[in-house]
Amino acid sequence: MQATASAHCLHLLSSFTPAAFTAGGSACRRRNAAAPATVRMALREDGPALAVVGVTGAVGQEFLRVLSDRDFPYRNLRLLASRRSAGRRIEFEGREYVVEELREESFAGVDVALFSAGGSVSREMGPAAVERGVVVVDNSSAFRMDPGVPLVIPEVNPDAMTHIRLAGRAKGALIANPNCSTIICLMAATPLHRHAKVVRMVVSTYQAASGAGAAAMEELEEQTREVLDGKQPTCKIFKQQYAFNLFSHNAPVLSNGYNEEEMKLVKETRKIWNDKDVKVTATCIRVPVMRAHAESVNLQFEKPLDEETARQILKGAAGVVVIDDRASNHFPTPLEVSNKDHVAIGRIRRDLSQEGNLGLDIFVCGDQIRKGAALNAVQIAEMLL
């Protein structure tokens, strides 16, 4: 029985291997295996010149999938990465591209650059691209809290970037993509905040391997196989066993006892909502899920909001779907939102610890690589057109 169970677990895991999400070539064109072949029309003379920085990483590869899925218009495409990845060939929308080494001169003639290569690369190359007239959409934390850089979730605060457009621009600009856990949380909380004003928010996150990149996803798969085979797990990305375990998020812990991931939720929420007084606290946990984060969110409101009104507000909100079937005990799961654009919300219920209808609990799941990173960035780029 044990061998059968192990084989079954590995079969399930094989459906979510990192290669399925991060490999080049056919993965960039994967949508629906049963769908008929179509001629892509995104390559257009009237589109912007586009660059993808960090293209060989998990988010970089997802950029390509999202661009293709959404028929984002571009007149030419430049794929950029580190020297180690330069020379790799990637097929995208019927054409083969050679990955180029990222240099300052890489941005000559580029209109829009999607960055996901880490904070140090963004801090060095982001301003260099802007100096060359490029609008940079950066997925790192490098510029998120810079008061001069918009921090944008298109469904939440699109007005933050209304002053930045491609047409007639005289210079480049930086726009920051929020942290994945912030995006997923605020996609759910903002529609309710607009109605009843959130005064305090308590968030507990359950974050997947995808949030730590392709290498972490590979390590989770490797460790799972090792543990099922009775072997000692290989720990490279994380300092402790990840498979069949969970632990406090691996971000550095600060002097106040919060880790950096938790403080991102605090600070970014205040900036995005333009509300320095909203109280936010968070606990972030890494869980052995391959892809897509989950979050438990407790909201306290200034004005009463009952759970049925909240449910109707969320059903009408852009970019979210309500999965809240109490009779069947069916609520959002990471598997259901993996490779999906929407954020799923469920477990909508009144907080019994608060008076009247001044508090709600909700449970949220969203694909960290997609809406938590690549999709959000591409949506920002779409707003520039």
Side-chain angles (χ1 to χ4, degrees):
M1 288 295 292
Q2 185 174 4
T4 302
S6 297
H8 178 61
C9 289
L10 289 174
H11 172 71
L12 291 175
L13 181 67
S14 68
S15 300
F16 296 92
T17 56
F21 304 123
T22 60
S26 60
C28 296
R29 292 173 280 110
R30 176 179 51 78
R31 247 182 235 88
N32 183 336
T38 57
V39 177
R40 310 301 298 167
M41 299 301 292
L43 187 60
R44 300 184 346 201
E45 282 301 318
D46 60 344
L50 183 64
V52 176
V53 178
V55 69
T56 57
V59 175
Q61 287 288 286
E62 198 70 23
F63 278 147
L64 297 183
R65 282 189 280 271
V66 174
L67 289 166
S68 183
D69 287 349
R70 297 175 71 85
D71 286 335
F72 186 91
Y74 58 94
R75 69 173 178 271
N76 56 61
L77 176 64
R78 187 168 293 171
L79 304 186
L80 305 171
S82 65
R83 179 180 300 173
R84 184 178 66 253
S85 297
R88 280 184 54 179
R89 297 179 181 275
I90 293 177
E91 185 182 339
F92 178 67
E93 296 196 333
R95 293 170 177 254
E96 188 177 77
Y97 294 83
V98 177
V99 176
E100 304 173 40
E101 181 183 351
L102 176 63
R103 296 187 175 96
E104 290 188 7
E105 53 266 31
S106 301
F107 299 104
V110 171
D111 297 310
V112 179
L114 304 176
F115 270 62
S116 189
S120 59
V121 172
S122 291
R123 279 187 285 271
E124 178 185 359
M125 291 295 181
V130 170
E131 286 180 9
R132 287 161 173 77
V134 181
V135 178
V136 172
V137 184
D138 181 43
N139 192 55
S140 81
S141 61
F143 305 105
R144 287 175 186 157
M145 298 315 299
D146 185 323
V149 176
L151 183 64
V152 178
I153 306 171
E155 297 90 342
V156 173
N157 64 330
D159 292 347
M161 57 170 285
T162 53
H163 60 292
I164 303 173
R165 287 291 182 271
L166 290 182
R169 81 184 194 285
K171 57 182 179 179
L174 274 165
I175 304 170
N177 219 28
N179 191 42
C180 52
S181 52
T182 305
I183 293 173
I184 292 166
C185 178
L186 296 192
M187 284 292 293
T190 299
L192 306 178
H193 175 60
R194 289 171 178 155
H195 184 89
K197 186 174 173 54
V198 173
V199 295
R200 185 171 187 262
M201 182 166 68
V202 182
V203 185
S204 297
T205 72
Y206 313 93
Q207 297 183 223
S210 57
M217 297 167 75
E218 292 166 2
E219 181 159 299
L220 175 57
E221 180 186 1
E222 181 182 12
Q223 284 193 10
T224 300
R225 296 180 185 278
E226 289 170 337
V227 171
L228 289 173
D229 288 341
K231 299 176 182 178
Q232 196 69 17
T234 302
C235 301
K236 296 177 182 177
I237 304 301
F238 303 110
K239 297 178 181 179
Q240 54 193 310
Q241 180 177 323
Y242 189 15
F244 305 100
N245 192 23
L246 57 82
F247 45 81
S248 181
H249 193 281
N250 48 294
V253 178
L254 307 174
S255 60
N256 63 2
Y258 285 73
N259 62 43
E260 289 183 357
E261 187 80 1
E262 292 158 351
M263 289 308 299
K264 288 175 184 177
L265 254 169
V266 174
K267 295 177 180 179
E268 292 177 19
T269 296
R270 290 173 177 166
K271 180 173 179 177
I272 292 166
W273 280 356
N274 192 26
D275 184 354
K276 61 181 177 57
D277 296 322
V278 64
K279 293 177 171 59
V280 181
T281 187
T283 300
C284 295
I285 303 295
R286 187 73 74 186
V287 298
V289 171
M290 190 63 75
R291 177 169 177 154
H293 293 348
E295 304 184 15
S296 170
V297 184
N298 175 268
L299 301 167
Q300 181 180 344
F301 301 106
E302 183 177 85
K303 297 182 291 185
L305 177 60
D306 64 87
E307 64 182 49
E308 186 52 39
T309 301
R311 192 173 286 106
Q312 294 307 312
I313 290 170
L314 293 171
K315 284 181 178 179
V320 304
V321 61
V322 173
I323 304 175
D324 199 41
D325 186 347
R326 295 178 181 178
S328 300
N329 201 13
H330 180 208
F331 305 104
T333 68
L335 283 179
E336 287 178 290
V337 299
S338 290
N339 293 295
K340 301 292 196 311
D341 288 349
H342 59 252
V343 170
I345 308 167
R347 298 301 315 279
I348 304 165
R349 63 202 188 278
R350 184 170 75 86
D351 178 357
L352 299 178
S353 71
Q354 298 191 48
E355 296 292 331
N357 288 311
L358 292 177
L360 284 175
D361 286 298
I362 58 176
F363 187 70
V364 186
C365 288
D367 188 313
Q368 174 274 329
I369 303 180
R370 202 154 176 102
K371 180 54 185 173
L375 171 62
N376 198 79
V378 173
Q379 287 176 308
I380 289 171
E382 289 171 344
M383 293 172 61
L384 298 169
L385 301 177

